[in-house]
Amino acid sequence: MEQDEWDELKAAAVEVMGHAYAPYSRYAVGAAARVDDGRTVVGCNVENAAYGVVLCAECGLVSQLHATGGGRLTHFVCVNGDGEVIMPCGRCRQLLFEHGGRDLLLWTVSGIRPMAEVLPDAFGPDDLAKTAATTAATTATTTEESK
Ligand code: THU
């Protein structure tokens, strides 16, 4: 993606940041991502009087991803209330990894970087798939032996 497209994505993040509901932290966040079919999805943070119930901007973005047809995230950026690029929090890196994998490109505070660098050696869907396959094989063997 060329820099002008990254700038457009960041502009979408800045726009949605304006809709953040952050009366407790007063720290607005906007996030925007490109999907593999070319659409753009966005989200803003939504806080709660029960402080721990906060929804990060990325939560809204991922919800919009699925609500509008699913797909894989390919490019991502999030900004603070001053429109500066910020890093997604640890939990949201995991959230983004689920929907974009190692190759998702993020505009970070140190430039454009793949998720493989932003969340190295991530735990993800493949780990569960491997265990499920091993469990299925073990169960099959055990069942066969008990006949
Ligand atoms: N926040 C996000 O929305 N995304 C992040 O990745 C970092 C943190 C929000 C949560 C909370 O509403 C505010 O920023 C301050 O932590």
Side-chain angles (χ1 to χ4, degrees):
M1 197 158 98
E2 300 295 327
Q3 185 58 45
D4 59 334
E5 287 180 277
W6 275 112
D7 291 341
E8 279 175 29
L9 201 60
K10 186 177 168 207
V14 170
E15 198 281 326
V16 71
M17 175 272 292
H19 298 281
Y21 175 75
Y24 306 108
S25 73
R26 304 209 170 276
Y27 190 87
V29 178
R34 182 67 62 85
V35 185
D36 58 0
D37 65 0
R39 57 196 219 282
T40 297
V41 289
V42 296
C44 59
N45 57 332
V46 178
E47 298 183 347
N48 192 285
Y51 292 172
V53 184
V54 61
L55 302 175
C56 281
E58 293 87 340
C59 297
L61 180 151
V62 165
S63 183
Q64 191 181 55
L65 171 71
H66 286 279
T68 59
R72 298 288 288 170
L73 302 176
T74 58
H75 301 76
F76 171 89
V77 63
C78 60
V79 299
N80 63 19
D82 293 328
E84 295 164 344
V85 171
I86 59 167
M87 296 305 289
C89 74
R91 175 183 177 278
C92 289
R93 293 180 200 198
Q94 186 72 38
L95 195 59
L96 294 168
F97 181 79
E98 181 81 16
H99 302 285
R102 295 170 49 82
D103 297 332
L104 170 63
L105 292 175
L106 299 93
W107 186 344
T108 76
V109 293
S110 45
I112 309 297
R113 294 164 67 193
M115 185 50 96
E117 289 177 14
V118 174
L119 188 66
D121 299 327
F123 178 86
D126 289 350
D127 293 284
L128 294 184
K130 269 184 228 146
T131 307
T134 310
T135 308
T138 308
T139 308
T141 310
T142 312
T143 309
E144 192 55 36
E145 281 170 358
S146 66
K147 277 183 185 169

